[in-house]
Amino acid sequence: MLKGKIAVVTGASRGIGRAIAVKLAAEGAVVIINYNRSKDEAEKVKEQIEASGGQVKLIQCNVASFESCEKMFEEVMKEFGRIDILVNNAGITKDGLLMKMSEDDFDAVVDTNLKGAFHCIRFVSRAMIRQRSGRIINISSVSGVLGNAGQANYAASKAGIIGLTKTMARELASRGITVNGIAPGFVDTEMTQVLSDEVKEAATKQIPLGRFGKPEDIANMAAYLASEKAAYITGQIISVDGGMAI
Ligand code: NAP
């Protein structure tokens, strides 16, 4: 149970982030839902959590901006005075073969997926160090573990998340803070709904369990890593991918 814990989930207006926010709230955490563009969807997540008796706050912030993240965490600290759990989930794709990839598409993906996580950890770790406790969970990807043709920017950002996770785990362990990553395989969200049926079929063939994951599959692992039960786990990247990376 996460009763009374203060949790920030980035990119929680849709998909995996939404499922993580709902799960953490169901476990008793007060959840701060960060969104960038999808205000209406974020409002719906808030309504859903409140309808089940949960406590939630919405904050708009583009995680790719250092200043925007600073403001978000100032607001959280002003209202709640502490941060127990950070889930770095916000992410985008801009796929294409590297030879044709624009600098803008490379930068946009790295700025959101990797630098966004750096920004959030930068501000949250200060509060967690003072508290001498905390849980940081970074969402990587099977693409960061194995590489994936057509996703040089995305795979680089997600492999970067793995290095960031292991390094932060080492830097923060002595302060009672754990830092872990989750590497999802293909999960049924808007990010993968854009794939053609042929690509989805080919992808499914690479998954030993024979199906795409559900956002809840990832949320269950995030809730476990955020809990007391995971107190002795740090610096790990846990694949939740139906066996794809075996
Ligand atoms: P999604 O359905 O496209 O949702 C992405 C979320 O990230 C949205 O809530 C979006 O918010 C938010 N976001 C994007 N840019 C942002 C920014 N600059 N600042 C703040 N929030 C931002 O994607 P998803 O499938 O749930 O993916 C969630 C995470 O899991 C990502 O890190 C993704 O790389 C990772 N992942 C996904 C899969 C998969 O198969 N789906 C597999 C492996 C890893 P707004 O709409 O409000 O902008």
Side-chain angles (χ1 to χ4, degrees):
M1 285 295 279
L2 301 172
K3 199 152 183 48
K5 301 279 184 199
I6 308 299
V8 177
V9 184
T10 68
S13 50
R14 300 183 281 114
I16 293 170
R18 174 193 179 120
I20 293 173
V22 168
K23 177 72 180 166
L24 297 184
E27 297 282 326
V30 176
V31 180
I32 291 94
I33 290 180
N34 155 251
Y35 67 96
N36 187 27
R37 295 195 176 129
S38 306
K39 186 170 195 290
D40 292 351
E41 275 95 340
E43 293 281 2
K44 281 186 207 143
V45 188
K46 183 172 186 275
E47 282 165 24
Q48 183 187 344
I49 291 175
E50 284 175 345
S52 325
Q55 215 182 320
V56 56
K57 178 185 173 69
L58 297 184
I59 303 187
Q60 192 283 331
C61 157
N62 173 5
V63 297
S65 154
F66 190 83
E67 290 76 23
S68 184
C69 289
E70 186 171 30
K71 266 197 216 139
M72 171 163 72
F73 289 109
E74 270 174 13
E75 199 178 328
V76 175
M77 287 304 287
K78 204 167 154 204
E79 185 161 344
F80 301 101
R82 59 185 292 120
I83 300 169
D84 300 295
I85 300 160
L86 166 68
V87 183
N88 280 310
N89 165 81
I92 57 169
T93 51
K94 286 187 185 287
D95 296 351
L97 292 174
L98 184 132
M99 263 177 27
K100 292 183 184 164
M101 190 175 283
S102 70
E103 187 182 4
D104 282 352
D105 282 357
F106 190 89
D107 287 349
V109 169
V110 171
D111 285 353
T112 300
N113 299 6
L114 179 57
K115 243 180 132 188
F118 157 70
H119 294 151
C120 294
I121 295 172
R122 173 81 164 60
F123 295 113
V124 162
S125 55
R126 231 168 241 216
M128 288 182 174
I129 285 169
R130 267 200 307 273
Q131 295 160 201
R132 302 195 77 79
S133 71
R135 293 275 197 274
I136 298 173
I137 299 158
N138 300 319
I139 307 299
S140 177
S141 166
V142 68
S143 295
V145 176
L146 299 179
N148 192 22
Q151 287 198 310
N153 48 1
Y154 183 77
S157 73
K158 294 298 185 177
I161 284 282
I162 295 173
L164 181 67
T165 300
K166 292 182 178 183
T167 300
M168 292 320 300
R170 288 184 188 277
E171 283 189 20
L172 298 174
S174 64
R175 316 299 177 103
I177 301 162
T178 68
V179 188
N180 290 290
I182 301 175
F186 284 91
V187 181
D188 189 14
T189 67
E190 283 171 44
M191 189 176 269
T192 50
Q193 276 155 17
V194 298
L195 301 173
S196 68
D197 286 348
E198 295 78 62
V199 172
K200 281 188 197 165
E201 224 170 88
T204 307
K205 284 195 184 129
Q206 296 172 46
I207 306 169
L209 287 177
R211 65 165 176 89
F212 274 32
K214 300 187 291 279
E216 292 73 22
D217 293 322
I218 313 307
N220 288 335
M221 179 53 69
Y224 172 71
L225 290 172
S227 78
E228 236 347 270
K229 288 179 187 161
Y232 200 53
I233 301 173
T234 199
Q236 303 306 305
I237 308 299
I238 298 167
S239 291
V240 181
D241 63 357
M244 213 179 151
I246 292 171

